[in-house]
Amino acid sequence: MKIVNKYKKTALIAGIVVIFSSCGQEDQPKESQLDFNQPIRTELDNWIVKNYLNPYNINTLYKWNQNTVDNSRFLFPPTIDKVQPALEIVKKIWLKSYETIGGADFVKKIAPREFVLVGGVNSNESGTRILGIAEGGQRITLFEVDYLDNKKREIVKEFVHTIQHEYIHILNQTKPFDEQAWAKITPSGYTAIWHLDSDAKSRELGFITSYARSNIVEDFAETASVILINTKQDYEAILAGIGSEKARNDIKKKEAIVVKYFKDTFNMDFYALRDEAEKNTTDVIKGNY
């Protein structure tokens, strides 16, 4: 009895499906309304494919897409002639440095899969600026592309600081650093109002920058990235300018954790990476790509 009822129900359902299917086919448009034409690639698009997409599987979005930015901010896409110079800087100083020291496949295996370039300034109500955002280890958004000048070292350093900082976050998401050991060095000093103090004042508290005081994760990324964008001499000058011996030693302890993290986790000489980034930065300033 149960088997017979099952068959009757199946036949009834099948009939309904046929009816609905027939109605659906009658309502279908004769031609597709979707545009399946491939967009025409520009010379810039071809350059991005050759230098980023093919070798590293990193896509770059520079045209306006409201789904990739915060629409509550006054933002705009970069000027076209600023895109390739910005990407050349990123490639030379970030990609090539990690390739040389970490190995040819290092960035291919651990990298954001998408860059989003924004031309303007991403300002906060506090008066601070957001220079970059790393999202889930898959996307990095870089702001202020229109203001980049590859002949001015300080501007290049600030721009590269962003990508170095955000990439440290991606590395930490791959392999976490020792947060417990880090927290013991400066257990106090972290604050949500870090922007009210200068870098000089924050260094006297044992933090390499004021932003490093926002939390432990940002402290690690700031410590590592500041070392990477400065020469050995410039970094030593920063430490020498700190009056508090304890604060200076605290920053050195944090530096030691960064160096150990790179060696133990990725078998990479962090100081060699810094020196390579310095050499490549000088090449960028001189126009040697």
Side-chain angles (χ1 to χ4, degrees):
M1 181 61 113
K2 292 181 180 178
I3 295 177
V4 173
N5 286 340
K6 179 178 179 181
Y7 284 159
K8 288 182 178 179
K9 290 180 181 177
T10 302
L12 177 60
I13 292 172
I16 294 172
V17 170
V18 170
I19 293 171
F20 284 155
S21 178
S22 299
C23 294
Q25 289 177 357
E26 290 175 1
D27 294 338
Q28 295 269 339
K30 302 301 181 183
E31 296 181 5
S32 174
Q33 302 300 308
L34 300 176
D35 183 3
F36 291 101
N37 294 322
Q38 292 294 321
I40 298 174
R41 283 181 180 171
T42 64
E43 185 177 341
L44 174 58
D45 294 330
N46 290 330
W47 184 91
I48 291 172
V49 169
K50 180 181 178 181
N51 289 272
Y52 275 82
L53 190 58
N54 287 345
Y56 303 107
N57 193 27
I58 299 175
N59 192 25
T60 300
L61 303 179
Y62 63 91
K63 299 174 184 177
W64 188 249
N65 185 337
Q66 64 180 6
N67 297 317
T68 61
V69 295
D70 184 350
N71 291 296
S72 67
R73 304 293 181 99
F74 180 69
L75 301 171
F76 50 85
T79 305
I80 294 298
D81 61 6
K82 289 287 189 178
V83 173
Q84 185 170 328
L87 292 175
E88 285 175 337
I89 290 174
V90 171
K91 180 181 178 182
K92 181 68 175 181
I93 301 176
W94 171 59
L95 281 169
K96 290 301 181 182
S97 297
Y98 271 95
E99 269 190 343
T100 300
I101 306 304
D105 292 333
F106 187 84
V107 181
K108 294 178 183 180
K109 293 178 179 178
I110 307 175
R113 293 304 157 208
E114 192 171 76
F115 279 124
V116 176
L117 303 184
V118 177
V121 178
N122 191 358
S123 299
N124 295 315
E125 293 182 359
S126 63
T128 59
R129 295 143 56 214
I130 298 175
L131 298 177
I133 301 172
E135 301 177 69
Q138 297 300 311
R139 172 190 292 169
I140 290 181
T141 302
L142 298 172
F143 301 93
E144 303 188 22
V145 171
D146 277 8
Y147 303 98
L148 186 58
D149 186 340
N150 59 3
K151 299 299 181 184
K152 297 182 179 179
R153 183 177 290 271
E154 288 306 310
I155 293 178
V156 170
K157 281 175 59 176
E158 183 178 51
F159 185 72
V160 173
H161 186 176
T162 302
I163 183 66
Q164 296 285 26
H165 177 105
E166 299 303 335
Y167 188 56
I168 295 296
H169 285 319
I170 291 176
L171 294 179
N172 291 163
Q173 290 167 11
T174 304
K175 297 285 185 179
F177 66 96
D178 190 345
E179 292 189 24
Q180 291 185 343
W182 193 280
K184 293 177 182 178
I185 300 173
T186 49
S188 61
Y190 295 103
T191 175
I193 54 173
W194 55 269
H195 57 278
L196 298 181
D197 289 330
S198 65
D199 285 347
K201 182 175 180 180
S202 294
R203 284 168 182 161
E204 296 296 336
L205 299 175
F207 299 87
I208 197 65
T209 64
S210 291
Y211 185 52
R213 297 175 60 193
S214 56
N215 58 61
I216 290 174
V217 174
E218 298 299 345
D219 195 5
F220 184 96
E222 275 294 271
T223 302
S225 57
V226 166
I227 295 173
L228 288 176
I229 66 170
N230 283 287
T231 66
K232 178 181 179 181
Q233 293 74 23
D234 288 343
Y235 177 66
E236 289 177 346
I238 290 174
L239 295 180
I242 299 174
S244 167
E245 183 177 357
K246 180 183 184 306
R248 189 164 54 250
N249 289 334
D250 285 344
I251 292 176
K252 287 182 178 180
K253 289 177 183 177
K254 293 176 181 180
E255 175 187 347
I257 292 179
V258 169
V259 172
K260 187 176 186 301
Y261 170 79
F262 270 78
K263 183 62 177 177
D264 292 350
T265 308
F266 304 112
N267 193 28
M268 193 182 304
D269 185 332
F270 184 74
Y271 294 126
L273 180 64
R274 174 201 60 196
D275 294 343
E276 187 67 18
E278 176 196 344
K279 178 178 74 67
N280 290 337
T281 300
T282 299
D283 284 345
V284 165
I285 303 302
K286 293 180 178 180
N288 300 328
Y289 293 96

